Amino acid sequence: APVTVNGHRGESVDIRCPYESGYESYSKYLCKGECNFGNKIIMVESGSPAKDERFSLTDNKTARVFTITITDLRTEDAGQY
């Protein structure tokens, strides 16, 4: 289900993404905009450094939740992910 996350410029936000059992070993990622196959703008992916160091991803495989943190929020960070 869609989740709304609010933040203020210069601050940071955490986006928590729970997932089902069986996906613990899969890569996790955050897309900006639509995440269509072959047409993805991936902001950060597990196991890879983000192109923008303000984005980070941690995966708690025991709790089955991965968390995206965006620091130093900017106006251009607004939108659908």
Side-chain angles (χ1 to χ4, degrees):
V3 174
T4 300
V5 177
N6 295 305
H8 296 92
R9 192 171 38 200
E11 294 182 354
S12 64
V13 294
D14 289 331
I15 305 166
R16 293 175 45 84
C17 305
Y19 56 89
E20 299 292 323
S21 179
Y23 289 93
E24 292 85 353
S25 64
Y26 284 61
S27 289
K28 315 309 188 294
Y29 54 87
L30 178 75
C31 296
K32 184 160 187 178
E34 293 292 322
C35 209
N36 299 324
F37 180 76
N39 190 24
K40 299 180 188 128
I41 301 172
I42 297 177
M43 303 305 292
V44 63
E45 184 172 1
S46 55
S48 301
K51 292 175 185 165
D52 184 334
E53 62 187 22
R54 297 178 307 116
F55 288 76
S56 63
L57 186 154
T58 57
D59 187 6
N60 182 332
K61 295 178 181 184
T62 303
R64 293 193 310 271
V65 174
F66 70 95
T67 303
I68 306 291
T69 301
I70 309 172
T71 60
D72 188 23
L73 285 169
R74 301 175 185 167
T75 304
E76 62 263 31
D77 296 329
Q80 177 182 335
Y81 288 83

